[in-house]
Amino acid sequence: QVQLVESGGGLVQAGGSLRLSCGASGRAFDSLTMAWFRQAPGKEREFVAGTRFNTWYADSVKGRFTISRDNAKNTVYLQMNTLKPEDTAVYYCAADPRTYSGSSSSAAYSYWGQGTQVTVSS
Protein backbone atom coordinates (compact mmCIF):
# COMPACT_ATOMS: atom_id res chain seq x y z
CA GLN A 1 0.00 0.00 0.00
CA VAL A 2 1.03 3.55 -0.74
CA GLN A 3 -0.38 6.54 1.11
CA LEU A 4 -0.38 9.93 -0.60
CA VAL A 5 -1.07 13.29 1.00
CA GLU A 6 -1.33 16.48 -1.08
CA SER A 7 -0.93 20.04 0.13
CA GLY A 8 -0.45 23.52 -1.26
CA GLY A 9 -3.74 24.26 -2.97
CA GLY A 10 -5.55 27.55 -2.58
CA LEU A 11 -6.97 30.63 -4.24
CA VAL A 12 -4.80 32.66 -6.60
CA GLN A 13 -5.36 35.35 -9.20
CA ALA A 14 -4.86 34.66 -12.87
CA GLY A 15 -1.18 34.96 -13.76
CA GLY A 16 -0.11 33.88 -10.30
CA SER A 17 1.73 30.79 -9.06
CA LEU A 18 1.21 27.92 -6.66
CA ARG A 19 3.29 24.91 -5.68
CA LEU A 20 1.60 21.65 -4.80
CA SER A 21 3.31 18.95 -2.76
CA CYS A 22 2.54 15.28 -2.39
CA GLY A 23 4.17 13.18 0.29
CA ALA A 24 4.26 9.41 -0.14
CA SER A 25 4.72 6.60 2.34
CA GLY A 26 4.42 2.83 2.42
CA ARG A 27 6.79 1.89 -0.36
CA ALA A 28 10.22 2.86 -1.67
CA PHE A 29 9.54 6.22 -3.27
CA ASP A 30 12.12 5.86 -6.03
CA SER A 31 10.29 2.77 -7.28
CA LEU A 32 7.13 4.78 -7.97
CA THR A 33 5.95 6.52 -11.09
CA MET A 34 4.30 9.68 -9.82
CA ALA A 35 1.75 11.90 -11.54
CA TRP A 36 -0.63 14.77 -11.06
CA PHE A 37 -4.18 14.73 -12.38
CA ARG A 38 -6.96 17.27 -12.03
CA GLN A 39 -10.72 17.28 -12.16
CA ALA A 40 -12.86 20.35 -12.73
CA PRO A 41 -16.58 20.41 -11.84
CA GLY A 42 -18.62 18.51 -14.41
CA LYS A 43 -15.53 17.26 -16.24
CA GLU A 44 -13.58 14.03 -16.33
CA ARG A 45 -10.31 13.65 -14.47
CA GLU A 46 -7.42 14.61 -16.75
CA PHE A 47 -3.69 14.06 -16.72
CA VAL A 48 -1.45 17.02 -15.89
CA ALA A 49 2.13 15.80 -15.46
CA GLY A 50 4.16 12.70 -14.62
CA THR A 51 7.64 11.70 -13.54
CA ARG A 52 9.71 8.55 -13.21
CA PHE A 53 13.22 8.89 -14.62
CA ASN A 54 12.00 11.70 -16.87
CA THR A 55 9.00 14.03 -17.00
CA TRP A 56 6.01 14.40 -19.31
CA TYR A 57 3.16 16.90 -19.51
CA ALA A 58 -0.27 17.53 -20.90
CA ASP A 59 -0.16 20.00 -23.78
CA SER A 60 -2.38 22.41 -21.84
CA VAL A 61 0.25 22.94 -19.14
CA LYS A 62 3.54 22.64 -21.05
CA GLY A 63 5.76 25.63 -20.41
CA ARG A 64 3.73 26.72 -17.37
CA PHE A 65 3.85 23.76 -14.97
CA THR A 66 6.88 21.83 -13.75
CA ILE A 67 6.80 18.47 -12.00
CA SER A 68 9.75 17.45 -9.86
CA ARG A 69 10.54 14.88 -7.21
CA ASP A 70 12.79 14.70 -4.19
CA ASN A 71 13.45 11.03 -3.52
CA ALA A 72 15.18 11.84 -0.23
CA LYS A 73 11.99 13.51 1.02
CA ASN A 74 9.55 11.06 -0.59
CA THR A 75 7.82 14.03 -2.15
CA VAL A 76 6.68 15.09 -5.61
CA TYR A 77 5.96 18.71 -6.45
CA LEU A 78 3.95 20.56 -9.06
CA GLN A 79 5.07 24.13 -9.64
CA MET A 80 2.29 25.98 -11.42
CA ASN A 81 3.05 29.33 -13.01
CA THR A 82 1.03 31.69 -15.15
CA LEU A 83 -2.16 30.17 -13.82
CA LYS A 84 -5.38 30.58 -15.77
CA PRO A 85 -9.01 30.35 -14.64
CA GLU A 86 -9.31 27.12 -16.65
CA ASP A 87 -6.69 25.56 -14.34
CA THR A 88 -9.29 25.63 -11.55
CA ALA A 89 -9.83 22.07 -10.37
CA VAL A 90 -9.18 19.58 -7.62
CA TYR A 91 -5.63 18.34 -8.14
CA TYR A 92 -4.81 14.72 -7.30
CA CYS A 93 -1.49 13.03 -6.76
CA ALA A 94 -1.22 9.48 -8.13
CA ALA A 95 1.37 6.72 -7.92
CA ASP A 96 2.09 3.24 -9.17
CA PRO A 97 5.19 1.03 -9.09
CA ARG A 98 4.38 -0.71 -12.37
CA THR A 99 3.44 2.23 -14.57
CA TYR A 100 5.82 3.05 -17.37
CA SER A 101 7.24 6.49 -18.00
CA GLY A 102 4.97 8.51 -20.23
CA SER A 103 1.69 7.09 -18.99
CA SER A 104 -1.14 9.63 -18.86
CA SER A 105 -4.05 7.28 -18.22
CA SER A 106 -5.68 7.43 -14.79
CA ALA A 107 -6.28 3.67 -15.07
CA ALA A 108 -2.52 3.11 -14.92
CA TYR A 109 -2.24 4.47 -11.38
CA SER A 110 -3.32 2.41 -8.38
CA TYR A 111 -2.82 4.87 -5.56
CA TRP A 112 -4.42 8.29 -5.16
CA GLY A 113 -4.36 11.14 -2.71
CA GLN A 114 -7.43 12.90 -1.37
CA GLY A 115 -7.03 15.92 -3.63
CA THR A 116 -6.36 19.60 -3.06
CA GLN A 117 -8.43 22.45 -4.46
CA VAL A 118 -6.85 25.03 -6.75
CA THR A 119 -8.98 28.02 -7.66
CA VAL A 120 -7.78 30.66 -10.12
CA SER A 121 -9.79 33.87 -10.21
CA SER A 122 -9.98 36.07 -13.28
Side-chain angles (χ1 to χ4, degrees), residues 11 19 23 25 31 39 45 51 62 67 71 75 88 94 98-99 110-111 113-114:
L11 173 65
R19 189 176 80 155
S25 61
S31 72
Q39 188 166 19
R45 190 169 298 188
T51 179
K62 278 182 183 176
I67 188 171
N71 289 341
T75 301
T88 295
R98 297 176 302 275
T99 299
S110 300
Y111 304 103
Q114 82 287 353

Side-chain angles (χ1 to χ4, degrees), residues 10-21:
L11 173 65
V12 64
Q13 289 188 331
S17 299
L18 279 175
R19 189 176 80 155
L20 306 182
S21 300

Side-chain angles (χ1 to χ4, degrees), residues 35-90:
W36 289 95
F37 287 76
R38 66 186 182 186
Q39 188 166 19
K43 295 188 176 181
E44 292 187 354
R45 190 169 298 188
E46 65 175 3
F47 170 78
V48 176
T51 179
R52 182 77 186 246
F53 304 111
N54 59 331
T55 60
W56 57 100
Y57 297 91
D59 287 344
S60 60
V61 305
K62 278 182 183 176
R64 299 189 299 122
F65 291 11
T66 302
I67 188 171
S68 61
R69 64 193 295 160
D70 186 335
N71 289 341
K73 295 183 178 180
N74 294 346
T75 301
V76 63
Y77 304 97
L78 186 67
Q79 178 66 45
M80 305 184 293
N81 298 328
T82 319
L83 282 160
K84 305 175 182 179
E86 51 263 44
D87 294 318
T88 295
V90 177

